[in-house]
Structure formats: C-alpha cells, structure tokens
Amino acid sequence: MLRPRRRGIASVNAEVRDGIVPAAGALAKTRDEGPAESGANYRFIALIIASALFMEFVDATVLATALPTMAKDFSVRPQEMSVALTSYLLALAIFIPASGSLADRFGSRTIFRSAILLFVLGSLACGQSRSLEMIVVSRFVQGMGGAMMIPVGRLVLLRSVAKRDMVNAMSWLLVPALIGPILGPPLGGFIVTYLDWRWIFYINLPMGILGFWLVGRYIANIREDDPGRFDTPGFILSGLSLGCLLFGFEMVSRPGEGAMAAILVGIGLTAGILYIRHARDREGAILDLGLLRDPTFRLSVIAGSITRITQGAQPFLLPLMMQVGLGFTAAKSGTITVATAIGSLAMKSFAQRVLRRFGFRRALIWNGIIATGGYAVCGLFGPAWPTWAMFAVLVLCGFFMSFQFTAYNTIAYDGVDKQHMSRATAFYSTFQQLMLSLGICVAAMALHLAMLANGNSAPTSRDFSVAFWVVTAISLTATFWNLRFASDAGAEISGHAEETEASPEQRSAA
C-alpha cells in the first residue's frame, strides 16, 4: 500500500517564492541530513529565520498597493512602475543560485547577516528614492539580500535542527508565511492612504537591525570544509542573460525604447546560448541543466513557468486596475486584494486530500484550467461590480492557484535524489523568479498595446481587461504540458494509487 511521502523544505520555500501560503501542515519533511541532536535554542533560531522571512514577505506584498501613488511622485505613468517589481525579482533570479555556494564558502551566519544588511540598506535607499531610476537600483539591492535570506535560512535550519524536531521548527518558520500575505496588502493601503508610501520601506529597518544582531548572537557560522570551485563564468553568463532578457522585455512597453529593447534581448539570448554551451555536462555548473533529464522535474519547470506568467502579473495588474481603472483608494484596494491570500490559506487543509483522491496529473490538468480561468474573470471587473463579488472571485483565485503551485512545487522534486537537491532547488527557484518577472513584463506590454489600440493616454478598465486576458491565455497553454505527466507521477508523495499503470506512450511523451 502506498503511503504519502512528505515534502522537503525546498518545496515549501518554493511556495513562499510564489507568493502563496505554503500547504505544508501535514506534508513537511526534509531529505537533507541534520544534526543528531538539536541545540537548546533551535526554536529561537527558527523564529529568527522566520522574522527575516516575514520582513521579506510583507515587503513583497505591501509594495504593489503603493505603485500608483509612487508613480505620481516620480512623474511617470503607473504602468512604468512595473520595473520596480521586476528589478527585485531579477535580483532574486540572479543571486539565488549563488547563495548556497557562498554560504558553504564563507559560512551560513556570515552570508545570512550580509543578506539582512543588504535588505535593510536597500529598504533605506528605497525610502529615500526621488526617481524611478533610483527606486529600481534600490529594489535590486533589496533583491540581492532577499535572494540569500530564504535559501541560507533554510541551510541554517537544516544544520541546526535534528530531523525529529524539524516539524516543530517548521511550525515556527511558517508563521510569517501565513501572516505576511494577509497583512501586506491592507497594511500597504493604510500606509499609502494615511501616511507616506516611504514608510512601506522604513518599517523594515528596526526588524532588520534586530535580526542582524540576533543572527550574530545565536547562529553558528557553519561552513563546508571543501566547498568546491564557484562557477564564476556561469554566474556571469546566466546573470547577464537573465538581466538583459528581462529588462529588454520590460522596455518593449516603453515608447521610443524599441531599439534598446532589441539590443538587450539580443545580448541576453547570446549570453544564454553561451551559458548552455558552458554548462553542458559540466560538474558544478551554477544552474545544472542535467536536472532537466528527469521528466517530472522538467514538466514541473515548464508547466509551472507558464502558469507563473499569470501569478507574476496579478500583483501588478490588480492594484493598478482598482486604483487607476476603477478609482478606488489604496486602502480599499488593499482590503480587496488581500482576498487572494485568504483563499490561499483556506486551501491549506485541502491539498493533501485532493492529491490523494485524484493524483497529481489529473489535479494539475483540471485545477490549472480553473485557476487560470478565475484570473480571466478578473478582467471583467468594472464599476458595476460590488466589492463583495470581487472579493469572492479573488478568494477563489487564490485558493485554486495556491493549490496549483503547491502541486508543482511538490512534484518537482519527486525524482531528485539527495545529492542533487540543492542544485534542483536553485534551478527551480531561478526559473520561478524569472517567470514571475516575465509575467509583470508581459502584463505591462499587453496593457501598453491595449492603450494604443483603444487610443487611450491613460489606462482604463477596458485596457486592464485585455491585459488580464492576454496573460491568462498564455498560462492556459500549460495544460498541454500537464497532460504529459505520467498518470502515476508523484503517487508515492500523494498516496494516490492508479488502477492502471501509465502507458508506454505517456511515459515516452514525457
């Protein structure tokens, strides 16, 4: 009889990166080896890591509500503020793969403190920004810190807590993941409406300073005796490729920037090809392309990446649609958009039961269609819609999309052995951030083209509708890849037993 195999912390971290509440209650375990005995302060260590996670999570969810107000202060169009979101996500994509190697080389405490310090300095610079260019650079610095906080925090936890205490430690670690998404949007709306948007960043300072001191006081500086060589050429090529591609796509939506966008995309593609040649069959590559030989991991990366186009776009489109297109205040917008986090939290107790009943393949196919279709309904929002109806739609969107990413983030590591788990986590996390960033770029581009087609100098609710439908249409194509999962994929994790084994055709298709 098959029994559910519990998920690694890697999948929970992946959910945090996706901006959803982790469904980790009855599924959380790690394959990594911890110490034989936990230290006396292991709960406190988990709480310190949780505080850093809370600071990053609130910052990520609180900012979107402030974008229209920030655009007025910077004298730019609201849709141009998308670059403030993509610059942060780009930094995550570039530096997440390097975080584990840096911690092994210099020590987990050193890198964790450095990550908190960078995040705090970036927050201070964001609060002092007087132009769009300055906020972009400051958000990138924030992202450098954020890229290392969660992965290195995970390493600290794994190296400080024995396996038998891991569930207890995880219960402390997941508290900010439960509270952050719910607190962020209304907090952002309150600050923007009644204070000044700069306080969104200043609230990080006291918590970051305290965390910096606590890490130095209570966390050991554990490092590997033989960390191996750092893949410097791979790091440079991958970073150049990701940076040029994302900023190239971002500039497509800006009038008069077509030539520069084409140059950046060309440089990004060239660097990407050079990285593929560099990393092919190379041991220790910063992004291990050999992981894609595993069909389940490959399909989860591809299908999850396409679905993340919508997940990346919605935190950008929803607040703008409500404040610019529908004329809501920031406070009202924040109280409505929090519905997606509530829906995500409500899903938490259903994930395991649904996967056990239907299996991963069937659940991913049908739930993916429902989740993507839910955000397509958001394109119908208009002045005639009552607030409660918008809230209800967003609760359902959060519920189904959260389940989709919980499933993707869990099954991705089904065939990955312990030796390659860290590389798989880095690879998967990088593509998460890349596609979330691309979702923002696609949304901004679609919004710009809709405005041109409708002859509008400022976006209207109709323009936002088009943008929502473009991104959801792209994400709907993930169904094709979901169909390619084997019927028994992840059966050991979910506990779902198929009546028949997957056909040879299904396995060869994957």
Side-chain angles (χ1 to χ4, degrees):
M1 178 180 177
L2 289 172
R3 296 185 180 275
R5 188 176 66 201
R6 296 174 180 259
R7 297 188 300 151
I9 293 180
S11 60
V12 178
N13 288 343
E15 292 174 14
V16 171
R17 291 295 186 192
D18 274 322
I20 64 175
V21 175
L27 293 167
K29 187 187 166 191
T30 176
R31 298 186 187 191
D32 303 75
E33 295 292 338
E37 296 291 336
S38 301
N41 295 320
Y42 81 89
R43 292 184 184 86
F44 193 56
I45 290 173
L47 193 57
I48 293 172
I49 299 169
S51 298
L53 177 59
F54 178 79
M55 180 173 62
E56 182 179 357
F57 216 126
V58 170
D59 183 88
T61 55
V62 79
L63 178 62
T65 308
L67 292 182
T69 303
M70 294 170 68
K72 291 180 182 178
D73 279 8
F74 296 150
S75 300
V76 299
R77 298 178 303 168
Q79 60 269 29
E80 293 181 21
M81 290 301 301
S82 62
V83 71
L85 299 177
T86 55
S87 61
Y88 181 88
L89 295 173
L90 173 62
L92 295 182
I94 292 174
F95 289 97
I96 282 175
S99 59
S101 297
L102 292 174
D104 288 343
R105 184 173 300 274
F106 299 105
S108 50
R109 180 179 64 196
T110 299
I111 298 303
F112 197 45
R113 294 186 89 195
S114 300
I116 294 174
L117 181 61
L118 277 174
F119 193 86
V120 169
L121 292 176
S123 298
L124 180 61
C126 286
Q128 293 293 311
S129 295
R130 295 295 184 269
S131 66
L132 179 59
E133 293 75 17
M134 185 174 177
I135 195 75
V136 169
V137 174
S138 303
R139 287 284 289 168
F140 190 86
V141 173
Q142 257 195 323
M144 291 171 62
M148 294 183 287
M149 276 202 288
I150 292 180
V152 177
R154 168 181 175 264
L155 287 176
V156 169
L157 196 68
L158 293 175
R159 291 169 173 175
S160 306
V161 181
K163 279 197 170 185
R164 67 170 179 269
D165 297 320
M166 187 59 69
V167 172
N168 192 353
M170 281 294 295
S171 66
W172 288 87
L173 189 63
L174 290 176
V175 168
L178 299 174
I179 299 176
I182 296 175
L183 181 63
L187 177 62
F190 176 86
I191 290 174
V192 171
T193 303
Y194 300 107
L195 298 173
D196 186 282
W197 63 263
R198 300 179 191 279
W199 283 99
I200 284 175
F201 301 104
Y202 292 152
I203 59 177
N204 293 329
L205 303 186
M207 183 175 292
I209 293 170
L210 178 62
F212 183 85
W213 179 80
L214 289 174
V215 170
R217 176 70 176 82
Y218 291 100
I219 291 179
N221 197 33
I222 303 172
R223 69 182 76 189
E224 292 290 329
D225 295 331
D226 183 17
R229 294 184 61 184
F230 182 70
D231 183 17
T232 302
F235 176 72
I236 294 173
L237 287 173
S238 63
L240 183 64
S241 177
L242 295 176
C244 289
L245 285 174
L246 279 180
F247 280 114
F249 289 133
E250 175 71 39
M251 295 182 73
V252 169
S253 63
R254 300 173 183 272
E257 300 288 354
M260 180 57 69
I263 292 172
L264 288 174
V265 171
I267 295 173
L269 289 174
T270 302
I273 293 170
L274 291 175
Y275 177 79
I276 292 173
R277 294 183 61 182
H278 162 80
R280 186 179 298 155
D281 300 324
R282 178 188 178 92
E283 184 67 25
I286 197 164
L287 292 175
D288 187 358
L289 301 180
L291 293 163
L292 294 176
R293 297 190 186 100
D294 178 74
T296 303
F297 185 82
R298 182 175 69 249
L299 289 173
S300 184
V301 168
I302 296 172
S305 294
I306 297 171
T307 306
R308 286 182 180 92
I309 294 289
T310 294
Q311 182 71 1
Q314 64 93 2
F316 167 67
L317 287 177
L318 273 175
L320 285 182
M321 182 184 200
M322 291 183 177
Q323 295 178 53
V324 178
L326 302 179
F328 293 172
T329 64
K332 184 175 181 180
S333 170
T335 56
I336 296 175
T337 55
V338 72
T340 57
I342 294 174
S344 175
L345 180 61
M347 184 279 307
K348 193 172 183 293
S349 61
F350 289 89
Q352 186 177 8
R353 284 180 285 174
V354 172
L355 290 171
R356 181 178 297 167
R357 172 67 178 84
F358 296 103
F360 277 96
R361 181 177 181 272
R362 195 182 307 169
L364 285 169
I365 292 169
W366 293 108
N367 185 79
I369 295 172
I370 296 170
T372 305
Y375 278 113
V377 173
C378 296
L380 300 174
F381 286 173
W385 275 68
T387 300
W388 66 265
M390 294 183 188
F391 194 92
V393 169
L394 291 176
V395 167
L396 293 175
C397 287
F399 182 95
F400 290 109
M401 193 61 83
S402 177
F403 177 89
Q404 194 73 359
F405 287 126
T406 294
Y408 281 135
N409 297 337
T410 303
I411 197 174
Y413 304 98
D414 181 43
V416 179
D417 56 34
K418 178 187 168 185
Q419 180 182 358
H420 296 95
M421 183 62 71
S422 294
R423 294 182 189 176
T425 303
F427 189 100
Y428 197 83
S429 298
T430 297
F431 267 82
Q432 276 182 297
Q433 304 314 315
L434 176 63
M435 299 312 292
L436 292 173
S437 305
L438 186 59
I440 297 171
C441 295
V442 171
M445 191 188 316
L447 184 60
H448 175 68
L449 293 176
M451 290 168 58
L452 290 178
N454 294 324
N456 298 324
S457 58
T460 64
S461 58
R462 184 180 177 185
D463 299 323
F464 285 107
S465 298
V466 172
F468 264 110
W469 294 335
V470 167
V471 296
T472 52
I474 294 172
S475 291
L476 193 60
T477 62
T479 306
F480 171 77
W481 298 99
N482 291 331
L483 286 165
R484 297 169 72 88
F485 279 103
S487 60
D488 61 347
E492 186 185 350
I493 301 174
S494 65
H496 175 74
E498 288 285 343
E499 293 180 2
T500 59
E501 291 293 325
S503 67
E505 292 78 8
Q506 284 179 316
R507 294 186 180 279
S508 61

